[in-house]
Structure formats: C-alpha cells, structure tokens
Amino acid sequence: MSGEPSRGSRKQLENILTDASMSRGNRIRRAALIEMRMLVKLAAPAVVGYMINYLMSMSTQVFSGHLGNLEYAAASLGNTGIQVFAYGCLLGMGSAVETLCGQAFGAQKHELLGVYLQRSAVLLTMCGIPLAVIYACSRQILLLLGQSPEIAKAASIFVYGLIPQIFAYAINFPVTKFMQAQSIVAPSAYISAGALVVHLLVSWVVVYKMGLGLLGASLVLSISWWIIVGAKFTYIVISPEFRRTWTGFTWQAFAGLPEFLKLSASSAVMLCLETWYFQIVVLIAGLLENPELALDSLSVCLTISGWVLMISFGFNAAVSVRVSNELGAGNPKSAAFSVIMVMMLSSFISIIVAIVIMCLRDRISYAFTEGEAVSRVAVGCGWQQFVAYVNVGCYYIVGIPLGVLLGFKFGLGAKGIWGGVLGGTCMQFLILLSVTIRTDWNKEVEAANKRLNKWDDKRKPLLENEN
C-alpha cells in the first residue's frame, strides 16, 4: 500500500524529534529532510492535478470565446460567477472528509475512511440539488443583478449544461480527499491529464464541427468531470492500494448525516467567505469613476491569482494531510514541525511570486498574495468553524469597509480597494498564525482521538469487498 512508506517516515520523524541524544541542530536538519520529502511527494502531483482541472475550465471558455464576444462574456460569467459559487460550496464541504479521513488514516482506523467517503458523497449530492435549482434559475438571477438580457440569456444556456457538473463535484471532492489522506495523489494527476486530452478533442468536435455552441461546450465540460470521477472511483475499487480503506458500499453512509453536515457546513462557509470576498471586491471596483481600467487591472490580478491558487491548492492538500495524519497517529511534535515547515515553504513561495510580480510591475498594475497555508493547517486540525468566524471579521468587517474607504473617500481607486483586501488578508493571516503558534499539539491529538472515537463505526458494510 502506498501509505506504508509514509507511515514509516512519520514514525521516524517523531523518533528524531523526541531523541534527546542528538543535538538540536542535527534533529532539525534530519527532520527537515524527511518532512520536506513527504510534503513535496504529496504536493507535486496535487499541483499538477489542480492546474489541469483549471486549464480544462479555461479551455471551455476559450472555445466559447471563438464563437463571438457575446458567447465569451456568457462563458466567463458562467464560469467565474455561478460555477465558482457551486465549486466553493462543495469543495468547502468536502474539506470535512479531508479532516476525518486524514486523522483516521493516521490512527490506522482504515475501515472508517470508506464510510467517511460515502457519507460525504451522499451529503454533497443532497446539497447539489438546491445548487441545481439555482443553476436552473440563473437567467432570472443574472437579470436581478443588473446584467443585460442578452448576456443573461446566453449565460443561462451555458450554465444549464453545467448542471451535471454539480453532481460530479459532489462525488469528486470526497473521492479526491479520500485518496489524498492516504498519500495517493499521482493517479489523480494522471487521470486529469487523460481527461484533459479527451476534453479538448471532444470540445473541438462538439463546438465547431457539430455546431452545438455554448450548451455543447458546457455539456462537454460536465462530461469530462464525470470521466474524471468514474476513473478515480474505478481505480479505488480495483487497486490493491485501497484494500483496507475501501471495503464496499455500506448503509452507514446514511447515518450521522446531521453531525457530518455541521462539520461540512463550517468548511463550506470558511472557503466560500474567502471566495466571495474577492468577487465582492470586483463588484465594488465596477462602481469607480473609471471602472474599465479598474476591472481590467483586477482581471489580470485574478487571472494570475487563479494560477497561483492552483499551486496553493496542491500544497494546501499536502499540508492538511500531513497535519491530520500526524494528529491521528498521536504525534504532536511531528504535527507542530509540519506546521513550521509549511510556513517556511509558504513564505518561500510567496517571495518567489512577489519577485516575479515586481519584475513585471510595468505590465501588472496591482497584485497580492494570500496566507493560505495556515488556513489549511486549520482543516487538518478541524478548526473550520473558528476560521469561518475569523474570515467574517477580517474580510467583511475590516477588509471590504477599509477598501471602500480608501478607494472612494480617499480617492485611491483600485489601489485603495486592493489596500483593503491586503489589510483584511494580512489580519486573517496574523490571527491564524498567532493561534497556530500558541497551539497545544498534545491537546489537538486528544481532540483528534475523541473525534475518531465519536465517528467510529463497527457495523459491517452492506457490500463487502472480498479482496
């Protein structure tokens, strides 16, 4: 099983950190090498996978753009507006299974991972129903938001084809987190790469040769996501790597859903508050005296931020897995050391991004970076509800009002709005950093054990895997 070497490395890491016979410097050097190796092994394939998935959505937008300006505007609005809303909700809710599966795997309670996967999939599928209703009413919603009738009509056609994608998301996120919790991430990247090739070929045929337009483009995107989901689930069922964590379908997937919803909802709120924050900022920028210039600048920033965010998602997945695995395994020193290494790596990446942006400052007007790593430490520990409160305060009570004040009252325009964004983001980062530094990791291990004991299910699966 691919998780075995990782478990051996975790044991070795805790032994090194608790070995009083070695000097402090030698312990740190040896531990850093082990931790960095595990982080990179997890993060690299995850980054590739997220990049490919992002490229798949962008390619659909490009195909639509070649149909005309109206079609491009419709696809852009459907992708960056309505689709991002659903993506944020379901990805956030999927973070609950990331916490539980990671801690269960670290504690070697392998049978629980399959139960958590199925519970999360059931819950997210149920939540996908109201999201599908929102998609179906997208034309009316866009009209209420002040969009032109032409754009609203075209965008709604595009969005109708994305309804099947909602339920693909509902299955994909739990499946992906289930695999990541066991440090099995490379297959997801390979599957996404194969799906991208199929997606590009089929999109070209459907949009240009068959002439199915916007609806065809979005339907192909939905089908491509279902190909990804089907391939991942098939791999889980047939691969011997999951023989202990996937033992078949079980009725327990329908048990304890209210409590599972509580943790999932906290995760969704945490992520959605961050996603909506930047969407609201864009809407505010459209109210400036020169909205075209401001929105063009922000569009460049958000495009760059989108690519950087895919890198961040990959490393964030690694962070969450590392922390949750260590807490589940009862290794408080290793969990704390993982956090330190993650923050150092995050700072290094931020510096590189900042240098690139400064070198291109004549072409890029405004840019910013985020402290995402600490947020994902929170996922590994199960702090989603606390982080949601922090996000409300930092983003909506401080960041947005400050941006409005600087942008409008002091006449700083887009610079002022981004100043508010940075203020709220920095405040969030400093609060979470302070909490992380002061964390008692022995108590977090105890909390992880309580959580696992609470969710420990002993009944046999409905359909057992003979393997």
Side-chain angles (χ1 to χ4, degrees):
M1 189 171 183
S2 294
E4 293 293 344
S6 178
R7 186 155 56 242
S9 297
R10 292 201 304 270
K11 182 67 173 178
Q12 183 184 9
L13 179 61
E14 187 73 11
N15 289 339
I16 290 174
L17 291 171
T18 56
D19 189 353
S21 65
M22 288 193 295
S23 66
R24 180 181 177 84
N26 193 24
R27 287 203 307 270
I28 292 176
R29 282 193 297 271
R30 292 185 60 184
L33 288 174
I34 295 174
E35 180 63 34
M36 189 61 67
R37 185 167 59 247
M38 287 192 288
L39 279 174
V40 172
K41 181 181 178 181
L42 284 169
V47 168
V48 172
Y50 280 114
M51 284 281 195
I52 291 172
N53 292 339
Y54 186 65
L55 183 59
M56 196 157 62
S57 292
M58 284 191 63
S59 67
T60 297
Q61 196 165 316
V62 170
F63 278 117
S64 301
H66 284 288
L67 295 173
N69 291 334
L70 176 63
E71 287 79 2
Y72 180 75
S76 299
L77 189 59
N79 264 331
T80 60
I82 296 176
Q83 185 194 31
V84 168
F85 173 78
Y87 186 92
C89 287
L90 295 177
L91 178 60
M93 295 192 73
S95 295
V97 78
E98 186 173 2
T99 300
L100 295 170
C101 280
Q103 293 181 358
F105 188 73
Q108 299 187 41
K109 295 187 175 183
H110 302 112
E111 70 283 355
L112 292 182
L113 273 76
V115 175
Y116 294 153
L117 162 63
Q118 294 172 67
R119 272 195 192 142
S120 183
V122 168
L123 186 60
L124 266 65
T125 299
M126 293 169 61
C127 292
I129 296 174
L131 289 174
V133 174
I134 293 175
Y135 275 41
C137 300
S138 57
R139 184 177 181 180
Q140 292 78 7
I141 293 172
L142 292 173
L143 288 173
L144 287 175
L145 293 176
Q147 298 295 324
S148 70
E150 294 80 11
I151 292 180
K153 180 180 179 181
S156 65
I157 293 173
F158 182 83
V159 170
Y160 294 156
L162 295 179
I163 291 177
Q165 185 191 48
I166 297 173
F167 300 99
Y169 282 163
I171 307 298
N172 177 72
F173 294 140
V175 166
T176 301
K177 303 302 182 184
F178 170 85
M179 296 173 71
Q180 287 176 350
Q182 301 169 70
S183 301
I184 303 172
V185 288
S188 293
Y190 297 142
I191 289 170
S192 295
L196 176 61
V197 174
V198 174
H199 174 75
L200 294 174
L201 292 174
V202 176
S203 294
W204 179 76
V205 172
V206 168
V207 175
Y208 299 139
K209 298 301 180 182
M210 298 177 63
L212 296 182
L214 282 173
L215 183 60
S218 56
L219 279 174
V220 171
L221 182 59
S222 293
I223 293 171
S224 298
W225 271 97
W226 273 108
I227 291 174
I228 291 174
V229 170
K232 286 183 181 180
F233 185 72
T234 300
Y235 183 77
I236 288 174
V237 172
I238 67 175
S239 174
E241 293 178 300
F242 301 101
R243 64 182 182 276
R244 288 189 292 179
T245 54
W246 176 261
T247 56
F249 293 103
T250 171
W251 288 114
Q252 295 173 58
F254 301 93
L257 289 178
E259 292 184 342
F260 208 92
L261 174 62
K262 184 178 179 180
L263 180 60
S264 298
S266 299
S267 302
V269 170
M270 180 184 74
L271 185 60
C272 285
L273 287 173
E274 296 189 17
T275 303
W276 296 341
Y277 181 45
F278 298 104
Q279 291 178 323
I280 291 173
V281 166
V282 171
L283 294 176
I284 292 173
L287 302 177
L288 293 170
E289 291 183 3
N290 192 352
E292 291 83 6
L293 178 60
L295 289 172
D296 285 346
S297 301
L298 294 179
S299 295
V300 172
C301 291
L302 291 174
T303 300
I304 295 172
S305 177
W307 285 108
V308 174
L309 193 61
M310 295 305 105
I311 299 174
S312 177
F313 276 164
F315 278 96
N316 292 343
V319 171
S320 181
V321 170
R322 289 291 304 118
V323 173
S324 60
N325 280 178
E326 296 298 351
L327 292 178
N331 298 331
K333 290 187 178 295
S334 295
F337 189 76
S338 296
V339 172
I340 294 172
M341 291 299 298
V342 163
M343 286 192 285
M344 291 176 62
L345 184 59
S346 177
S347 298
F348 175 76
I349 294 172
S350 298
I351 291 171
I352 296 298
V353 172
I355 290 174
V356 171
I357 291 173
M358 286 300 295
C359 291
L360 299 175
R361 62 186 180 276
D362 293 333
R363 299 180 181 179
I364 304 175
S365 298
Y366 315 109
F368 68 97
T369 57
E370 300 177 59
E372 288 286 331
V374 179
S375 293
R376 302 307 290 184
V377 171
V379 172
C381 295
W383 298 344
Q384 290 95 329
Q385 187 172 4
F386 167 72
V387 176
Y389 293 137
V390 172
N391 286 350
V392 170
C394 295
Y395 290 161
Y396 296 92
I397 297 178
V398 176
I400 291 177
L402 179 60
V404 171
L405 182 65
L406 294 174
F408 292 89
K409 180 68 174 179
F410 291 94
L412 296 178
K415 287 184 179 180
I417 293 176
W418 279 115
V421 171
L422 285 173
T425 302
C426 289
M427 183 177 180
Q428 180 225 33
F429 175 75
L430 291 174
I431 291 175
L432 295 180
L433 179 63
S434 174
V435 171
T436 303
I437 291 174
R438 294 185 290 108
T439 295
D440 186 333
W441 293 100
N442 289 306
K443 289 185 178 180
E444 290 302 319
V445 169
E446 294 176 4
N449 287 331
K450 290 180 180 178
R451 186 178 295 114
L452 290 174
N453 290 332
K454 178 180 179 180
W455 291 92
D456 196 352
D457 297 296
K458 298 300 184 182
R459 286 172 291 178
K460 292 185 178 180
L462 174 65
L463 301 174
E464 289 192 334
N465 190 331
E466 296 300 327
N467 295 330

